[in-house]
Amino acid sequence: MHTLAGLYVVTPNWDDTDKLIKITEQALLGGASLVQYRHKFATPGVRLQQARRLLELCRSHQTPLIINDHWDLCMELGADGIHVGGTDMTVAKVRAIVGNDKIVGASCYGDLGLARAAQRAGASYIALGGFYPSAVKEYPVTTPFDMVRSASTEISLPNVVIGGMTIQNAKPLVERGAHMVAAISSIYLAPYPRTAAQNFVRLFAPS
């Protein structure tokens, strides 16, 4: 069983597959624990090609690949899991389709009620946020920091914090009990992605 902890890398909306693979590999070499393939605007052909190459890369690093939204692509490729957003198919329906062996993540925003429902429906982890403005994703930045502490106490699932994550602003959330930090721009637009990944991983090292 995969450990759901540490740096959770989420891919940007890039059509340049070679560049996507190159930087994702740097993140994996830097210690990323999970990779989520997310490309909101890809054609089906590009999506299939990119997901296939990412899965091959992740397999070589013994790291899970999570597919955002597209459960059918997850099943076609045999990827490790699926992430379900608030407007997508329900966690319960996705779990029924993909079976018990896949990782199923659920976006819960700043709502503990959604987190409890996701847990009951069979989610593997919950995503909380946004906590900060994101350069990539659009959502209200309304999640209070102490939501992480509440979720860590009340929900028995690992949680991942999202939304404009940098080393500096992820630190107080990890201190409040975040199990994972999701990063897009802080890895993929970093001058040294491997070093950036290593710095995120250090947030989880015992002090």
Side-chain angles (χ1 to χ4, degrees), residues 115-132:
R116 293 188 193 97
Q119 179 170 264
R120 289 193 300 270
S124 308
Y125 70 85
I126 55 171
L128 304 173
F131 290 92
Y132 304 95

Side-chain angles (χ1 to χ4, degrees), residues 18-172:
D18 288 340
K19 183 180 179 184
L20 183 72
I21 295 298
K22 180 180 178 182
I23 296 186
T24 304
E25 181 165 34
Q26 289 300 303
L28 289 166
L29 290 169
S33 300
L34 294 95
V35 175
Q36 181 188 133
Y37 174 55
R38 178 183 185 275
H39 188 331
K40 286 293 188 181
F41 312 112
T43 63
V46 168
R47 187 175 289 119
L48 177 62
Q49 178 201 32
Q50 291 187 336
R52 184 173 280 144
R53 287 191 59 187
L54 283 167
L55 183 60
E56 183 181 330
L57 174 66
C58 287
R59 286 279 185 272
S60 71
H61 288 268
Q62 290 90 47
T63 301
L65 177 68
I66 311 295
I67 305 292
N68 186 68
D69 292 347
H70 297 274
W71 63 266
D72 48 346
L73 180 60
C74 172
M75 297 302 285
E76 179 182 350
L77 293 179
D80 300 284
I82 179 84
H83 186 86
V84 183
T87 58
D88 305 319
M89 191 182 291
T90 65
V91 172
K93 285 183 179 177
V94 168
R95 176 58 80 196
I97 291 167
V98 304
N100 293 327
D101 295 336
K102 300 290 187 192
I103 298 167
V104 176
S107 293
C108 298
Y109 311 100
D111 189 334
L112 267 183
L114 286 176
R116 293 188 193 97
Q119 179 170 264
R120 289 193 300 270
S124 308
Y125 70 85
I126 55 171
L128 304 173
F131 290 92
Y132 304 95
S134 167
V136 177
K137 299 181 77 169
E138 293 182 10
Y139 39 59
V141 184
T142 54
T143 308
F145 283 12
D146 283 337
M147 173 65 66
V148 178
R149 188 168 282 141
S150 300
S152 299
T153 304
E154 298 180 35
I155 310 293
S156 62
L157 300 177
N159 64 69
V160 55
V161 291
I162 66 173
M165 291 297 152
T166 65
I167 304 298
Q168 292 74 25
N169 60 27
K171 191 170 187 290

